[in-house]
Short mmCIF file of all heavy atoms in Angstrom, two decimals:
data_model
loop_
_atom_site.label_atom_id
_atom_site.label_comp_id
_atom_site.label_asym_id
_atom_site.label_seq_id
_atom_site.Cartn_x
_atom_site.Cartn_y
_atom_site.Cartn_z
N HIS B 241 115.42 112.48 96.75
CA HIS B 241 115.08 112.61 95.33
C HIS B 241 115.04 111.24 94.66
O HIS B 241 114.12 110.96 93.85
CB HIS B 241 116.09 113.51 94.64
CG HIS B 241 115.80 113.73 93.18
ND1 HIS B 241 114.75 114.49 92.73
CD2 HIS B 241 116.42 113.24 92.07
CE1 HIS B 241 114.73 114.49 91.40
NE2 HIS B 241 115.73 113.74 90.99
N LYS B 242 116.00 110.39 94.99
CA LYS B 242 116.04 109.06 94.40
C LYS B 242 114.79 108.26 94.74
O LYS B 242 114.20 107.59 93.87
CB LYS B 242 117.28 108.32 94.90
CG LYS B 242 117.46 106.93 94.30
CD LYS B 242 118.74 106.28 94.80
CE LYS B 242 118.92 104.88 94.21
NZ LYS B 242 120.18 104.25 94.70
N ASN B 243 114.35 108.32 96.00
CA ASN B 243 113.15 107.59 96.40
C ASN B 243 111.89 108.18 95.76
O ASN B 243 110.97 107.45 95.40
CB ASN B 243 113.02 107.58 97.92
CG ASN B 243 113.97 106.61 98.58
OD1 ASN B 243 114.42 105.64 97.95
ND2 ASN B 243 114.29 106.84 99.84
N ARG B 244 111.86 109.50 95.62
CA ARG B 244 110.71 110.12 94.95
C ARG B 244 110.64 109.68 93.49
O ARG B 244 109.55 109.41 92.95
CB ARG B 244 110.78 111.64 95.07
CG ARG B 244 110.57 112.15 96.49
CD ARG B 244 110.38 113.65 96.54
NE ARG B 244 111.57 114.42 96.19
CZ ARG B 244 112.52 114.76 97.04
NH1 ARG B 244 112.44 114.38 98.32
NH2 ARG B 244 113.56 115.49 96.66
N GLN B 245 111.79 109.61 92.83
CA GLN B 245 111.82 109.15 91.44
C GLN B 245 111.34 107.70 91.33
O GLN B 245 110.56 107.37 90.42
CB GLN B 245 113.24 109.26 90.88
CG GLN B 245 113.67 110.67 90.52
CD GLN B 245 115.05 110.69 89.90
OE1 GLN B 245 115.98 110.07 90.40
NE2 GLN B 245 115.18 111.41 88.79
N LYS B 246 111.80 106.86 92.24
CA LYS B 246 111.39 105.46 92.23
C LYS B 246 109.89 105.33 92.44
O LYS B 246 109.21 104.56 91.74
CB LYS B 246 112.14 104.71 93.34
CG LYS B 246 111.81 103.23 93.43
CD LYS B 246 112.59 102.57 94.56
CE LYS B 246 112.21 101.10 94.70
NZ LYS B 246 112.94 100.45 95.84
N CYS B 247 109.36 106.09 93.39
CA CYS B 247 107.92 106.05 93.67
C CYS B 247 107.12 106.58 92.49
O CYS B 247 106.09 106.00 92.11
CB CYS B 247 107.61 106.85 94.93
SG CYS B 247 105.86 106.86 95.37
N ALA B 248 107.57 107.68 91.90
CA ALA B 248 106.85 108.26 90.77
C ALA B 248 106.78 107.27 89.61
O ALA B 248 105.73 107.13 88.95
CB ALA B 248 107.53 109.55 90.32
N LYS B 249 107.88 106.59 89.33
CA LYS B 249 107.89 105.62 88.24
C LYS B 249 106.92 104.48 88.51
O LYS B 249 106.14 104.08 87.62
CB LYS B 249 109.31 105.07 88.05
CG LYS B 249 109.47 104.17 86.85
CD LYS B 249 110.94 103.83 86.60
CE LYS B 249 111.11 102.99 85.34
NZ LYS B 249 112.55 102.72 85.04
N ALA B 250 106.91 103.95 89.74
CA ALA B 250 105.99 102.88 90.11
C ALA B 250 104.55 103.35 90.07
O ALA B 250 103.64 102.64 89.61
CB ALA B 250 106.35 102.35 91.49
N PHE B 251 104.33 104.57 90.55
CA PHE B 251 102.97 105.10 90.60
C PHE B 251 102.40 105.28 89.20
O PHE B 251 101.24 104.93 88.95
CB PHE B 251 102.97 106.45 91.35
CG PHE B 251 101.60 107.04 91.50
CD1 PHE B 251 100.71 106.52 92.42
CD2 PHE B 251 101.21 108.11 90.72
CE1 PHE B 251 99.44 107.07 92.55
CE2 PHE B 251 99.94 108.65 90.84
CZ PHE B 251 99.06 108.12 91.77
N VAL B 252 103.19 105.80 88.28
CA VAL B 252 102.71 105.98 86.91
C VAL B 252 102.40 104.64 86.26
O VAL B 252 101.37 104.48 85.59
CB VAL B 252 103.73 106.78 86.08
CG1 VAL B 252 103.36 106.76 84.60
CG2 VAL B 252 103.80 108.22 86.58
N LYS B 253 103.25 103.64 86.45
CA LYS B 253 102.97 102.31 85.92
C LYS B 253 101.66 101.77 86.46
O LYS B 253 100.84 101.21 85.73
CB LYS B 253 104.12 101.35 86.26
CG LYS B 253 105.39 101.59 85.46
CD LYS B 253 106.46 100.57 85.82
CE LYS B 253 107.72 100.77 84.98
NZ LYS B 253 108.79 99.79 85.34
N SER B 254 101.43 101.94 87.76
CA SER B 254 100.19 101.48 88.38
C SER B 254 98.99 102.26 87.85
O SER B 254 97.91 101.69 87.61
CB SER B 254 100.29 101.61 89.90
OG SER B 254 101.34 100.82 90.42
N LEU B 255 99.16 103.55 87.70
CA LEU B 255 98.09 104.40 87.21
C LEU B 255 97.68 104.02 85.79
O LEU B 255 96.49 103.98 85.46
CB LEU B 255 98.55 105.86 87.27
CG LEU B 255 97.53 106.96 86.99
CD1 LEU B 255 96.32 106.82 87.89
CD2 LEU B 255 98.19 108.33 87.17
N ILE B 256 98.65 103.72 84.95
CA ILE B 256 98.36 103.28 83.58
C ILE B 256 97.56 101.98 83.59
O ILE B 256 96.55 101.84 82.89
CB ILE B 256 99.67 103.13 82.79
CG1 ILE B 256 100.29 104.50 82.52
CG2 ILE B 256 99.43 102.39 81.48
CD1 ILE B 256 101.71 104.44 81.99
N ASP B 257 97.99 101.02 84.42
CA ASP B 257 97.26 99.75 84.53
C ASP B 257 95.84 99.98 85.03
O ASP B 257 94.89 99.37 84.52
CB ASP B 257 98.00 98.79 85.46
CG ASP B 257 99.28 98.24 84.85
OD1 ASP B 257 99.46 98.37 83.63
OD2 ASP B 257 100.11 97.70 85.61
N PHE B 258 95.70 100.84 86.03
CA PHE B 258 94.39 101.13 86.60
C PHE B 258 93.46 101.72 85.54
O PHE B 258 92.30 101.32 85.41
CB PHE B 258 94.56 102.09 87.78
CG PHE B 258 93.29 102.39 88.53
CD1 PHE B 258 92.85 101.55 89.54
CD2 PHE B 258 92.53 103.52 88.24
CE1 PHE B 258 91.69 101.82 90.25
CE2 PHE B 258 91.38 103.81 88.93
CZ PHE B 258 90.95 102.94 89.94
N LYS B 259 93.97 102.67 84.77
CA LYS B 259 93.15 103.31 83.74
C LYS B 259 92.78 102.33 82.63
O LYS B 259 91.65 102.35 82.12
CB LYS B 259 93.91 104.50 83.13
CG LYS B 259 94.03 105.69 84.05
CD LYS B 259 92.72 106.44 84.20
CE LYS B 259 92.35 107.17 82.93
NZ LYS B 259 91.13 107.99 83.10
N GLN B 260 93.69 101.45 82.26
CA GLN B 260 93.40 100.50 81.20
C GLN B 260 92.33 99.51 81.62
O GLN B 260 91.45 99.16 80.83
CB GLN B 260 94.68 99.78 80.78
CG GLN B 260 95.65 100.68 80.02
CD GLN B 260 96.97 100.00 79.70
OE1 GLN B 260 97.44 99.17 80.47
NE2 GLN B 260 97.57 100.37 78.59
N VAL B 261 92.36 99.05 82.87
CA VAL B 261 91.39 98.07 83.35
C VAL B 261 90.03 98.71 83.63
O VAL B 261 89.00 98.23 83.17
CB VAL B 261 91.91 97.36 84.61
CG1 VAL B 261 90.81 96.52 85.26
CG2 VAL B 261 93.12 96.50 84.29
N HIS B 262 90.03 99.80 84.37
CA HIS B 262 88.77 100.34 84.87
C HIS B 262 88.12 101.38 83.95
O HIS B 262 86.91 101.62 84.05
CB HIS B 262 88.98 100.94 86.26
CG HIS B 262 89.43 99.94 87.28
ND1 HIS B 262 88.62 98.92 87.72
CD2 HIS B 262 90.62 99.77 87.91
CE1 HIS B 262 89.28 98.18 88.60
NE2 HIS B 262 90.50 98.68 88.73
N PHE B 263 88.91 102.00 83.10
CA PHE B 263 88.38 103.01 82.18
C PHE B 263 88.45 102.58 80.72
O PHE B 263 88.01 103.31 79.84
CB PHE B 263 89.14 104.34 82.35
CG PHE B 263 88.86 105.05 83.63
CD1 PHE B 263 89.51 104.69 84.80
CD2 PHE B 263 87.95 106.10 83.68
CE1 PHE B 263 89.26 105.35 85.99
CE2 PHE B 263 87.69 106.77 84.87
CZ PHE B 263 88.35 106.40 86.03
N ASP B 264 89.01 101.39 80.48
CA ASP B 264 89.19 100.89 79.11
C ASP B 264 89.89 101.94 78.26
O ASP B 264 89.50 102.23 77.13
CB ASP B 264 87.83 100.52 78.50
CG ASP B 264 87.98 99.70 77.21
OD1 ASP B 264 89.02 99.04 77.07
OD2 ASP B 264 87.08 99.76 76.37
#
Side-chain angles (χ1 to χ4, degrees):
H241 181 71
K242 182 178 180 180
N243 284 336
R244 292 191 292 273
Q245 283 184 313
K246 181 181 177 181
C247 180
K249 186 171 184 177
F251 182 75
V252 170
K253 287 182 177 179
S254 299
L255 188 55
I256 290 169
D257 288 345
F258 185 85
K259 288 287 289 185
Q260 289 175 327
V261 170
H262 298 292
F263 289 82
D264 193 26

